[in-house]
Each structure stands twice: as structure tokens, then as C-alpha cells.
Amino acid sequence: MTKRDNLTILAIETSCDDTCVAILRIRNWKRKAKSWKLEILSNIVSSQVKVHAKYGGVYPTLAKREHQRNIVPVLETALKKARNPEINLIAATVGPGLEPCLWVGVNFARAISRELKLPIVPVNHIEAHILVNWLQPVNQKSKIKNQKSKTQIKNKKEFPAVCLVVSGGHTQLILMQDFGKYKILGETRDDAAGECFDKIARILGLGYPGGPAIAAEAAKFSTFNSQPRPAPLVGAGFSIKLPRPMIHQKNYDFSFSGLKTAVLYNYKQQPPKIRKSKKYIQEMAFETQEAIIEVLVSKTIKAAKEYKARTIILGGGVAANQELRKRMREKAKELNCNFLVPKPQFCTDNAVMVGITGFFHWICGEKKDWKKIKVNANLKI
Ligand code: KG4
Ligand code: ZN
């Protein structure tokens, strides 16, 4: 390190279908601090959405091939945008995720580490979805003159926290007692919440990724329903009611595959003219979103009450859903809990979250030689 007071991190994320590289700089860093000034020098996400769209979900061998194709150009763009800084540390996602995809990012990180003699910090993808919530905008008044940084990593949070991580590959409810102290309270027994959005969107012909597509259709249905109209939709056409799987069970597990089956049955029962209609698709999208959100919010709040949580944390791609954010925020307020959710761009996969998580582990003294870094597709938090 030339400037001991600045730490520049190269972060790599390839656990699913986004090839992500970010370069972060932490200014005047000290191990013990209330907050660290953070500059996001670059944050590149190369999405494979178009490649996987025709399959309605991620196709692992194709994802691996795309990562291999994209990782070098993505790194080059990230370095250029950051003006080729001197890197001090590498952070890379080692799991959980799709094993062939994880190896692309990890091997790439190992090669750079070997060549430049840099330490690597292995990062857990789920923890990264949680810790990105420590990223905060800098209070304008406290901004130091000439300092480019507009964000900071805040050290202090109120524990215990109940964290809901919901993405295309994961749905987990986690109790966080402190940094590094996690307990999985429950998780999905089959499909993840994002996967459920994706599969139902596919049935309805809404494309991939399904979450944003369903949210958009659901919003049209809500707008229509909030306007005065001659006849109520309920009873006037179809009034769809989907199950709320496991909502009343005394555990924190989830199950979403039955929801997809219920949609498929309903869809197949409709004459083609009806099931292709805007009205049907919008109502089904609305009910799908309602069912998923109600289960997620209900279980999270139940856990927050049982564990006397002081903070509720959301993370993962599904956390970009505006309705979920709104409902969780309202419920957290009723409970007098702090509520943390990342900006939508940091909910879906990105390497900034990997860099921040790597930083936290680095200041705790964790780093590894490239030879010791391995992937673990089933890594637990
Ligand atoms: O975290 P992420 O980018 O990748 C994984 O680790 O899986 O999450 C992607 C998932 C997809 O299933 C996508 O449909 C879902 O997040 N998603 C959403 C929204 N935006 C992305 N789900 C619901 N509403 C959204 N606005
Ligand atoms: Zn993710």
C-alpha cells in the first residue's frame, strides 16, 4: 500500500447471472471508527437477462459461459471508470450460489491476487445482501470540503436484528445478534420468493426477470381498482384468491412452489381469451404479489416480536419491490423497530455489497492466501 490511510478494494461477484465488479475506496481508514467514508469509484453490473429470458430463469451452463466472456471487459470498464487506482485488497463471493459461476469470479480473483500479491477476503453472498444496508449517504452538513465521497459505512447498528434475505436463489429469515453472529431462523423448503415471481411471470407470459414484470402489472391493477368504476371487479369477472403458504405455521420456514402450482391450475382452467386478457393478467399479478408479500411480512414481523428485534433488515433482489418495502416499513414502525433496506440498485446482485462485506472481514483480520480460497455453493451464513 502506498498510501496507508486509503484502502482500495476490488470486489467481484459472479454467484448467479450478473457479472459484477466494483472498486471502492475507503478514506483515512482506521480499524476502529464510528463510520468510514466510502467512495464508490466504479460499480459495473453486466446483466445476463437477455440470455436467460427465453428459459424464464437462470440456465447455469449459459451463465458460466457469459461470466467467462464478460469478466475481463467488466474489470476493464471498472478500472477505467475508477481511473486505474492501485488496488490493496480483493473481495470475492465464494458462495452460496451456482458453483460453475462462482468459480469464474473466484478463479479470476485468485489469478489477480497471485499476480499482484494481494490478499483476498472470501465473501458470503447472503451476508453481503445484509451488510450493504450499512452503506449510507453522508450527511451533507458533515461533508468534508473537496471530499468526493457521498457515502459512508456506518459502524453502529441496533441489535438484535431480524434480516429477511429474498432473492432469486434464496429466501432466509436470519437473526443477527452482532457482526458475524447469525442464526438462520427459517428458510424456503422449495422455491425462493424471487424464483416464484419468475416462474409465475413465465406462466403469464411476462418475461424474465419476473419480479419487476409482476410488480408493474400489479400496479396497473391497483390503479384500476382505486378509481371509481360502475361495477366492482370482484364478482364482475374473476376474483382470484391464491393461498398464503405456511403463513400460520409456528415456524419461520417458507414454501412458494405451491403458489406457482395454484397459478398454473387457475390459468389452465381459463379459456384462452380470458387468460390472455389484460384484466386477468393484471389481477393474477396483483394477487401473486399480495400472497408473497403477506407471507414474507407476516413471518418477519412474527420473528421480530419473538426475538425482540430492534432492527428489521431487508435484502436481496426481491427487496427492490416497492410494495414489499412499503408494507415492511409500516409494520416495523408499528413495532418501533428501525427499518433498513438498500436502494433498489443495491438490492439486486452487485459487487459494492461484496466490497463492503470484505471490508468488515478485513478489519477483523480476515484475509487469505489465494491458494486457500475455494467456492462453496451451499455456504451457510
Ligand atoms: O439478488 P438477485 O439479484 O439475484 C439472486 O441472488 O438471486 O435477485 C434476483 C431476483 C429475481 O428473481 C427477480 O425477479 C427478483 O429478484 N426481483 C424482484 C424485483 N426486482 C428483482 N422481485 C419482486 N419485485 C421486484 N421489483
Ligand atoms: Zn443475490
Side-chain angles (χ1 to χ4, degrees):
M1 266 185 240
T2 44
K3 284 189 183 170
R4 289 236 157 249
D5 48 346
N6 286 347
L7 179 75
T8 306
I9 306 172
L10 169 69
I12 299 169
E13 156 64 47
T14 60
S15 69
C16 191
D17 62 341
D18 294 309
T19 315
C20 316
V21 173
I23 300 176
L24 310 181
R25 179 175 293 149
I26 291 149
R27 289 207 170 261
N28 306 320
W29 81 280
K30 289 188 196 91
R31 215 163 280 278
K32 285 187 181 159
K34 280 187 182 158
S35 65
W36 296 274
K37 296 269 179 292
L38 175 85
E39 279 176 52
I40 301 174
L41 301 182
S42 57
N43 173 27
I44 310 298
V45 179
S46 169
S47 165
Q48 301 177 5
V49 159
K50 282 189 188 143
V51 177
H52 300 288
K54 57 175 174 283
Y55 304 101
V58 182
Y59 199 86
T61 33
L62 275 186
K64 178 191 167 190
R65 191 193 70 190
E66 289 303 300
H67 284 308
Q68 283 172 325
R69 202 205 307 260
N70 295 334
I71 190 113
V72 177
V74 167
L75 173 76
E76 201 190 17
T77 311
L79 284 171
K80 256 193 198 160
K81 198 155 183 238
R83 300 187 181 186
N84 291 306
E86 186 185 341
I87 306 290
N88 312 120
L89 179 68
I90 303 172
T93 302
V94 295
L98 301 170
E99 182 156 344
C101 299
L102 286 162
W103 270 118
V104 177
V106 167
N107 252 342
F108 189 63
R110 291 186 346 153
I112 300 173
S113 159
R114 189 201 169 275
E115 212 38 46
L116 301 182
K117 298 191 173 41
L118 293 175
I120 306 187
V121 184
V123 168
N124 179 310
H125 184 83
I126 301 289
E127 189 181 26
H129 272 307
I130 294 173
L131 293 187
V132 72
N133 278 289
W134 271 247
L135 179 68
Q136 286 180 357
V138 169
N139 180 352
Q140 291 300 312
K141 280 181 200 152
S142 72
K143 237 168 77 177
I144 299 165
K145 215 180 166 192
N146 292 333
Q147 179 141 1
K148 272 189 270 166
S149 174
K150 290 191 176 63
T151 56
Q152 61 183 343
I153 304 173
K154 267 257 173 184
N155 199 353
K156 203 168 160 276
K157 287 282 176 284
E158 293 182 34
F159 296 113
V162 163
C163 317
L164 176 70
V165 179
V166 264
S167 71
H170 319 277
T171 299
Q172 285 188 332
L173 204 48
I174 296 158
L175 179 67
M176 182 177 185
Q177 299 281 13
D178 205 337
F179 287 106
K181 276 187 153 183
Y182 304 99
K183 184 184 169 200
I184 299 174
L185 301 176
E187 58 196 328
T188 185
R189 294 183 182 177
D190 40 57
D191 292 352
E195 193 179 354
C196 182
F197 271 115
D198 295 337
K199 287 179 173 171
I200 293 177
R202 194 174 182 204
I203 295 170
L204 300 177
L206 292 176
Y208 176 82
I214 289 201
E217 292 303 312
K220 289 179 203 161
F221 179 78
S222 319
T223 316
F224 172 74
N225 255 358
S226 64
Q227 283 164 2
R229 56 188 188 281
L233 190 69
V234 174
F238 19 79
S239 168
I240 303 163
K241 192 74 190 155
L242 294 173
R244 278 29 179 181
M246 299 183 73
I247 198 165
H248 297 302
Q249 287 194 15
K250 285 194 174 81
N251 57 50
Y252 295 114
D253 282 347
F254 302 89
S255 165
F256 290 108
S257 72
L259 199 54
K260 167 207 66 197
T261 313
V263 172
L264 190 63
Y265 276 152
N266 187 297
Y267 183 84
K268 282 189 170 167
Q269 275 170 5
Q270 309 300 331
K273 207 178 149 196
I274 298 280
R275 66 189 191 205
K276 298 278 177 234
S277 70
K278 273 190 197 162
K279 191 177 158 201
Y280 177 82
I281 291 170
Q282 288 171 6
E283 186 176 349
M284 187 57 97
F286 178 82
E287 181 59 8
T288 297
Q289 182 173 269
E290 283 296 300
I292 296 174
I293 291 177
E294 272 182 36
V295 175
L296 294 177
V297 172
S298 156
K299 295 239 166 184
T300 308
I301 296 302
K302 204 165 100 184
K305 282 183 186 160
E306 183 178 339
Y307 292 94
K308 300 192 171 38
R310 295 175 68 192
T311 307
I312 291 176
I313 294 176
L314 254 185
V318 179
N321 185 284
Q322 292 300 332
E323 199 56 35
L324 173 63
R325 298 161 79 94
K326 190 177 132 219
R327 303 262 194 102
M328 199 69 91
R329 179 173 281 116
E330 283 165 5
K331 289 284 177 189
K333 202 173 167 196
E334 282 173 23
L335 272 188
N336 248 333
C337 272
N338 302 307
F339 176 64
L340 301 175
V341 63
K343 277 184 180 175
Q345 74 183 106
F346 296 128
C347 288
T348 45
D349 287 349
N350 63 87
V352 171
M353 67 182 195
V354 176
I356 291 173
T357 308
F359 174 67
F360 276 119
H361 284 269
W362 158 262
I363 56 174
C364 295
E366 262 179 60
K367 58 178 175 174
K368 279 194 175 159
D369 183 83
W370 68 267
K371 288 183 199 121
K372 296 205 171 115
I373 302 278
K374 289 195 176 76
V375 311
N376 180 354
N378 300 313
L379 186 66
K380 294 276 175 227
I381 192 165

